[in-house]
Amino acid sequence: MKKVKYKINKRGKVIIYSFLLLIILFMYICISGSIFNLEEIVLKGNNKINKSDIMKITSIKLGDNIFKYNINNIEDDILKNSYVNYVEVKRMLPNKLIIDLKENTEDVVLKYGNKYVYMQSDGLILKSQKNNTNKNIPIIKGIDIVSCNVGEFIEIKDEKNLKKILNIIDELKRNNMLREINYINVSKNLVEINLKEDIIANLRLDESISYNIKRLKEILIDLKSDGINRGNIDLKNKEQAIYSP
């Protein structure tokens, strides 16, 4: 079977070349035209990160052509910030960049040397500074820290207990209890939780953490309904919780 050869006539070539020329012209306008100069950065989902932070860690500058930037490179730069968990950057023609973030959260504070270290419930270190500026989250005490570099996960001497300690923080976070706590003191296989209402709870650092945190929350609700805001709660016994004034 013979192959059929199609020839493009002169008119067809003119149309194709004209179309290619229009594409090139459009691209030139996009790259050089002031209509596409960046005038606004729209930041979404942010709490800790602001536009000034974005400008510092990326090459973004107001007035630059928005087609100048590689979106993937901008996203990679933003992800270098320890507070950024997820980011998506989009162009909005003619002159905007939309930056949608999901941030990591400060869940607890640790004292390490002369600095306060902010950590997420999964052990990720977010920030280290001289003063404790977040009084709404508990301080963790009794942990022998080996390493806690910003942007990395914490390392402690007792690696076996690390998962359990992080589990306590995560369970308290799930139950919206972190803001009710002054400090959490870890001592060998025991945990002391000091609440802001002068209530101290004691529990074991073992596989029953999730169960005990739920028990603690229910007991606190009952005590609050009875107008009680002080005392001790012993949760070391799996069978029975003991409250003493």
Side-chain angles (χ1 to χ4, degrees):
M1 184 176 178
K2 293 183 179 180
K3 292 183 179 179
V4 179
K5 294 183 179 180
Y6 294 93
K7 291 184 178 180
I8 301 175
N9 57 29
K10 189 175 181 181
R11 184 181 176 186
K13 289 181 180 179
V14 170
I15 293 173
I16 292 172
Y17 291 144
S18 298
F19 181 70
L20 291 173
L21 184 61
L22 285 173
I23 292 175
I24 294 170
L25 182 62
F26 176 76
M27 291 176 66
Y28 175 77
I29 293 172
C30 287
I31 294 172
S32 61
S34 61
I35 190 173
F36 295 107
N37 287 352
L38 181 63
E39 292 186 6
E40 185 180 0
I41 298 170
V42 179
L43 206 53
K44 297 181 179 180
N46 62 307
N47 182 33
K48 287 286 183 182
I49 306 295
N50 55 42
K51 292 180 184 179
S52 177
D53 295 324
I54 297 295
M55 303 285 275
K56 287 177 183 177
I57 59 181
T58 66
S59 58
I60 299 174
K61 291 181 182 178
L62 294 177
D64 282 352
N65 191 290
I66 62 173
F67 291 100
K68 168 185 175 180
Y69 300 113
N70 182 303
I71 296 299
N72 290 332
N73 289 344
I74 293 175
E75 291 175 345
D76 289 342
D77 287 339
I78 294 173
L79 283 170
K80 291 176 184 177
N81 187 298
S82 59
Y83 280 89
V84 180
N85 179 276
Y86 165 86
V87 62
E88 183 179 17
V89 180
K90 294 180 180 179
R91 295 184 184 92
M92 179 176 281
L93 298 179
N95 52 22
K96 292 181 183 179
L97 282 178
I98 311 297
I99 302 175
D100 197 359
L101 298 172
K102 180 181 178 183
E103 292 184 343
N104 292 314
T105 58
E106 294 176 0
D107 294 324
V108 293
V109 183
L110 301 99
K111 190 75 163 57
Y112 185 56
N114 62 346
K115 292 186 177 181
Y116 289 91
V117 178
Y118 297 84
M119 186 176 77
Q120 190 170 238
S121 62
D122 60 357
L124 179 67
I125 303 300
L126 303 176
K127 183 171 64 174
S128 176
Q129 61 184 34
K130 289 185 178 180
N131 300 314
N132 182 13
T133 53
N134 190 345
K135 305 293 184 179
N136 295 318
I137 57 177
I139 296 175
I140 299 285
K141 299 180 179 181
I143 299 177
D144 200 347
I145 300 171
V146 174
S147 173
C148 59
N149 299 316
V150 174
E152 298 178 4
F153 289 91
I154 190 170
E155 295 180 22
I156 67 173
K157 281 190 176 180
D158 193 347
E159 294 182 5
K160 292 181 180 179
N161 276 344
L162 178 57
K163 187 176 180 180
K164 297 174 185 176
I165 294 168
L166 295 179
N167 191 21
I168 287 176
I169 301 168
D170 191 54
E171 286 298 327
L172 290 169
K173 182 179 180 179
R174 287 173 185 270
N175 285 276
N176 299 313
M177 296 174 65
L178 287 174
R179 290 179 176 270
E180 302 175 30
I181 300 169
N182 284 319
Y183 68 82
I184 300 168
N185 191 22
V186 181
S187 176
K188 293 183 178 179
N189 294 319
L190 297 175
V191 178
E192 179 184 279
I193 299 176
N194 186 293
L195 291 108
K196 293 178 180 178
E197 293 188 339
D198 291 328
I199 294 175
I200 296 175
N202 291 279
L203 57 147
R204 295 190 184 279
L205 191 62
D206 56 19
E207 70 282 349
S208 60
I209 291 169
S210 298
Y211 169 66
N212 279 326
I213 297 300
K214 290 176 183 176
R215 281 206 298 173
L216 176 60
K217 184 177 183 179
E218 291 171 359
I219 292 169
L220 290 173
I221 291 172
D222 289 341
L223 291 175
K224 191 172 183 178
S225 65
D226 292 334
I228 300 172
N229 57 8
R230 63 187 307 121
N232 293 278
I233 302 170
D234 190 338
L235 297 166
K236 295 193 295 292
N237 189 322
K238 294 181 182 180
E239 305 298 327
Q240 184 180 14
I242 301 172
Y243 166 78
S244 57

